[in-house]
Amino acid sequence: MARSLSLFVAALFLPLATASAHAQEWAKARLDASPRHHEYVPLKHGDRTVQTFVVYPEVKTKAPVVILIHEIFGLSDWAKEMADELAAQGFIVVAPDLLTGFGPNGGGSSEFQSQDAAVKAVSGLDPEVVNADLDAAADYGKHLPAGNGKIASAGFCWGGGKSFSFAAHRKDLSAAFVFYGPSPSDVTTITAPVYGFYAGNDARIGATLPATTEAMKAAGKKYEPVTYEGAGHGFMRAGEDPSNTVPGNKTAREQSFTRLVTLIKEMKAAPSASNATPKKIAAEKAEAAVHCHDEKATGDTRHTAAIM
């Protein structure tokens, strides 16, 4: 009887524990303490409405707009906290919830009760719908009265690949920032400079870099990939997670954030086309790596437990 009762209680509270882990309380606490203005804006295009998280910097002048593309885990507390951190540097950040309407009861990212469920949903998103959602976010950001007309995309993990793909789709980007995501099959339509941020302990994505570099060079596109040695896939999130045990993740996160902020501040309204050879930045070596996913890993949730 006592054992049955214990099992019942465990089953009752398991969904709550999973939801709590999915919520990333450390990121939520930082977001709640932020002095910056946050708001949710419904962006309509066609018969679809996309709920979008928007953060404004505390500045006097008009600011560049960054379209933040979330990881395969949806618009998580970390994704929103990352948006707030970028806004703290003087940028307007527009972060669409690409799971809007695809969650339980027609909801978005926050309606999924487990990380695995969100992963499967994001993996199944139609690339054309994703680009249409990102177009709506970019159109909104470009015409904000507080914006200076410059827009860039910045994506992480699955979102990193989508940032690269969006650069091939959207012609008025000032830059595209790709964090440990794959390139599209056709890069010839890209007009904006693309800046890559990759992990040394990420053979899955790292193995694609030579071909990507060659394709961008052959197409005459500006591509500047940097690999951060000692870091694992997902280091931008893992590097600030209090439970992170990989020194290289923290180092890579700090170096990448500094580089990202500098590049956004240096953005030009008209992108140029040139090519750069890959560089490598040495971070502290570590054995472990935190993994994430891209759209090619549909249904593969083997690594999610490490970051919950």
Side-chain angles (χ1 to χ4, degrees):
M1 178 68 179
R3 184 174 181 273
S4 299
L5 181 60
S6 296
L7 290 174
F8 173 76
V9 172
L12 183 64
F13 285 99
L14 180 59
L16 296 177
T18 303
S20 178
H22 182 48
Q24 299 166 328
E25 292 298 334
W26 57 272
K28 185 176 185 300
R30 294 176 188 177
L31 190 64
D32 289 345
S34 169
R36 283 164 290 282
H37 176 76
H38 306 147
E39 63 185 32
Y40 285 92
V41 178
L43 301 182
K44 296 184 179 180
H45 63 90
D47 59 356
R48 178 163 165 72
T49 299
V50 184
Q51 293 298 326
T52 304
F53 184 69
V54 181
V55 190
Y56 285 88
E58 295 181 320
V59 294
K60 292 182 179 180
T61 58
K62 293 188 175 184
V65 174
V66 177
I67 309 304
L68 189 146
I69 310 174
H70 58 67
E71 297 174 295
I72 203 166
F73 310 120
L75 189 64
S76 63
D77 290 322
W78 175 78
K80 290 183 283 187
E81 190 261 340
M82 183 71 215
D84 183 77
E85 286 194 70
L86 283 173
Q89 299 300 314
F91 317 125
I92 301 169
V93 184
V94 179
D97 182 357
L98 301 173
L99 282 177
T100 300
F102 300 116
N105 302 313
S109 294
S110 63
E111 297 302 312
F112 288 91
Q113 292 301 304
S114 74
Q115 189 165 264
D116 283 356
V119 166
K120 291 176 182 177
V122 173
S123 297
L125 291 177
D126 184 336
E128 291 187 5
V129 174
V130 171
N131 271 343
D133 288 353
L134 296 176
D135 271 333
D139 290 342
Y140 173 80
K142 189 171 183 179
H143 296 97
L144 281 174
N148 65 8
K150 297 178 184 178
I151 55 173
S153 62
F156 306 85
C157 179
W158 174 88
K162 293 306 179 185
S163 181
F164 217 145
S165 296
F166 192 54
H169 166 79
R170 183 93 184 188
K171 307 305 180 187
D172 59 349
L173 292 179
S174 290
F177 303 101
V178 177
F179 286 82
Y180 30 86
S183 68
S185 57
D186 182 5
V187 300
T188 60
T189 57
I190 292 174
T191 58
V194 178
Y195 302 95
F197 302 73
Y198 304 98
N201 297 339
D202 186 10
R204 180 175 62 89
I205 296 298
T208 69
L209 295 186
T212 298
T213 300
E214 182 57 34
M216 290 290 279
K217 181 178 181 180
K221 309 302 179 181
K222 183 173 182 178
Y223 177 53
E224 294 184 358
V226 174
T227 295
Y228 298 86
E229 296 300 337
H233 188 93
F235 61 77
M236 287 301 287
R237 170 182 28 78
E240 61 175 324
D241 187 334
S243 66
N244 172 56
T245 59
V246 182
N249 285 338
K250 186 175 186 296
T251 302
R253 194 267 175 201
E254 292 171 351
Q255 292 175 346
S256 292
F257 190 77
T258 298
R259 179 184 177 221
L260 175 62
V261 170
T262 299
L263 289 170
I264 296 173
K265 289 181 177 179
E266 293 175 349
M267 282 193 319
K268 307 297 182 183
S272 58
S274 61
N275 188 72
T277 55
K279 296 180 289 183
K280 286 195 175 184
I281 289 181
E284 296 178 47
K285 291 184 178 181
E287 294 293 330
V290 179
H291 293 276
C292 190
H293 310 257
D294 62 21
E295 63 273 20
K296 296 178 182 178
T298 304
D300 181 3
T301 58
R302 290 173 295 173
H303 304 299
T304 57
I307 52 177
M308 291 178 66

